Amino acid sequence: MYDQPRPDRPTPAMTFEQMLERVRYEGAYPTRERAEEAVRTVLGALGRQLTGDERVDLAQCLPVEAALPLAAQIPDAEQLTGWGFVKDQAARTGVSPAVARWDTGAVLAVVTRLAGPDLLARILRQLPDGYALLFGQAQLRQRENAAA
């Protein structure tokens, strides 16, 4: 799907190498390879949670190499809370929840900058509680129930 640049695709704000260096800095990773592993793991996990225009728009904000793991995933039928997202990622990768949370924070801090405030707000409205903190944002209110 994203193996070749599309003519209508906007140019991402940074290259994949710049993104990896930023994630490496945010996560204090010792190597570029460790940062790349975190990017692919976290964006793949996020790809299982996002749907619709938010998923497409986020993929367009990312360098192609980062958009691929996001777009390659089939969204799960049931969305996970923020903590559920971290626990699921830990279980799938065989790391502790603390390491999964660290990786998530490092990657999503950079994704937040690339997405910008408007897209980030739309993404957070789509996701269950707990994701704002993962994106480095304050969770100021609980989601409203559909019963209202």
Side-chain angles (χ1 to χ4, degrees):
M1 173 186 261
Y2 285 102
D3 57 341
Q4 296 180 10
R6 298 184 324 192
D8 61 338
R9 181 181 165 92
T11 303
M14 63 176 69
T15 66
F16 188 58
E17 279 66 34
Q18 290 169 327
M19 181 181 187
L20 291 180
E21 282 306 311
R22 194 73 214 154
V23 169
R24 184 176 176 191
Y25 175 81
E26 291 286 337
Y29 297 119
T31 64
R32 179 187 176 278
E33 289 75 22
R34 178 63 184 95
E36 185 171 353
E37 178 185 332
V39 166
R40 293 189 189 285
T41 300
V42 172
L43 291 178
L46 188 60
R48 289 188 293 276
Q49 299 301 306
L50 281 179
T51 60
D53 290 341
E54 289 76 18
R55 178 184 171 105
V56 172
D57 292 348
L58 180 58
Q60 289 180 337
C61 292
L62 301 173
V64 172
E65 301 90 340
L68 286 172
L70 177 86
Q73 299 300 313
I74 297 171
D76 289 341
E78 186 175 329
Q79 287 185 318
L80 301 170
T81 64
W83 178 235
F85 177 86
V86 171
K87 290 191 307 186
D88 181 66
Q89 184 180 335
R92 287 176 187 261
T93 59
V95 299
S96 71
V99 170
R101 174 60 181 95
W102 184 268
D103 290 349
T104 299
V107 173
L108 294 184
V110 176
V111 169
T112 295
R113 289 188 199 106
L114 290 170
D118 294 336
L119 177 55
L120 181 61
R122 289 177 31 222
I123 289 169
L124 291 176
R125 278 193 299 271
Q126 183 187 113
L127 295 170
D129 283 340
Y131 281 87
L133 293 174
L134 298 178
F135 280 93
Q137 307 294 304
Q139 179 102 23
L140 299 177
R141 64 181 178 86
Q142 297 291 320
R143 289 175 61 106
E144 298 169 11
N145 292 333

